Amino acid sequence: MTAIEQTQARPRGTRLPRRARREQLLGAAQEVFVAQGYHSAAMDDIAERAGVSKPVLYQHFPGKLELYLALLDQHCESLLQSVRGALASTTDNKKRVEATMDAYFAYVEDEGGAFRLVFESDLTNEPAVRERVDKVALQCAEAISEVIAEDTGLSRDQSMLLAVGLGGVSQVVARYWLASRSEVPRETAVQLLTSLAWRGIAGFPLHGAEGTGQHG
């Protein structure tokens, strides 16, 4: 049975520990928000999907916006950790670029569709949402820029420009790849994008480092 089926099949009134209940409610909310968008989704729909009463839902989240923001926080953190993990996965810089690109592709390909809450929200005019989306983009860029600055000796501002470019290209291309139902396999798409990015970033000389694969 899938997680969605388990959520739908859970009998109303089943008692769960508070943390487990919160995770269940967030899972149900994600399904509803991804399918309907924020504005069309209703707390009634989320409660029904979770198999709980509205009072139970409101015990955990005082309103729809608070529920959406909790979900957004969860998935922004997931993206950031994926990018940081990719950067830390190797000391070979070409492989770092590939791993980082793949982190974005894996994120948008996740069957839960959480990337839509981060990159394609219909609530981007809400300051609290915009703040979180901008913050995770900045944090991902900062993580990438630290590696660029360390290996090239470029200034922080210069490294950030390159990092924002790499992160932006990664998420835009990954979203296009998914939305267009491209017949290009994910691995091939990542390799193509890596080749494009690497031809640019490899042009910057190493600064006080050896064996990092910068010119590999």
Side-chain angles (χ1 to χ4, degrees), residues 134-147:
D134 289 345
K135 181 180 178 181
V136 73
L138 180 63
Q139 289 175 319
C140 288
E142 286 175 341
I144 297 169
S145 74
E146 288 175 5
V147 176

Side-chain angles (χ1 to χ4, degrees), residues 115-127:
F115 82 95
R116 299 187 188 281
L117 303 176
V118 180
F119 296 133
E120 300 176 1
S121 173
D122 60 346
L123 197 60
T124 52
N125 289 331
E126 167 60 44

Side-chain angles (χ1 to χ4, degrees), residues 6-136:
Q6 288 174 340
T7 299
Q8 293 172 334
R10 185 178 297 281
R12 186 179 293 274
T14 301
R15 296 187 64 85
L16 289 175
R18 184 172 182 82
R19 184 170 181 176
R21 176 67 78 191
R22 178 183 171 86
E23 289 302 310
Q24 180 210 8
L25 295 175
L26 286 171
Q30 179 176 326
E31 294 170 18
V32 174
F33 284 135
V34 169
Q36 301 181 21
Y38 177 83
H39 294 294
S40 296
M43 293 293 269
D44 283 333
D45 299 329
I46 295 169
E48 182 177 354
R49 179 64 61 92
V52 301
S53 64
K54 279 181 65 177
V56 169
L57 180 56
Y58 281 112
Q59 285 174 9
H60 292 265
F61 302 99
K64 186 168 72 166
L65 178 59
E66 288 78 10
L67 177 52
Y68 189 88
L69 292 177
L71 197 56
L72 189 59
D73 284 337
Q74 183 183 77
H75 291 298
C76 283
E77 181 63 21
S78 176
L79 174 61
L80 178 60
Q81 292 307 317
S82 293
V83 170
R84 285 176 172 168
L87 292 168
S89 66
T90 178
T91 57
D92 183 304
N93 283 333
K94 185 174 183 179
K95 290 180 179 178
R96 269 179 174 158
V97 172
E98 182 177 357
T100 303
M101 299 289 184
D102 191 58
Y104 282 93
F105 274 77
Y107 188 72
V108 303
E109 193 181 30
D110 183 270
E111 65 180 13
F115 82 95
R116 299 187 188 281
L117 303 176
V118 180
F119 296 133
E120 300 176 1
S121 173
D122 60 346
L123 197 60
T124 52
N125 289 331
E126 167 60 44
V129 172
R130 185 75 263 158
E131 178 185 357
R132 284 163 169 78
V133 173
D134 289 345
K135 181 180 178 181
V136 73

Side-chain angles (χ1 to χ4, degrees), residues 141-142 144-164 201 204-205 207:
E142 286 175 341
I144 297 169
S145 74
E146 288 175 5
V147 176
I148 294 175
E150 180 181 351
D151 285 343
T152 65
L154 292 173
S155 70
R156 181 185 183 281
D157 287 345
Q158 290 173 322
S159 298
M160 274 296 291
L161 283 174
L162 293 174
V164 169
I201 200 69
F204 295 94
H207 176 75

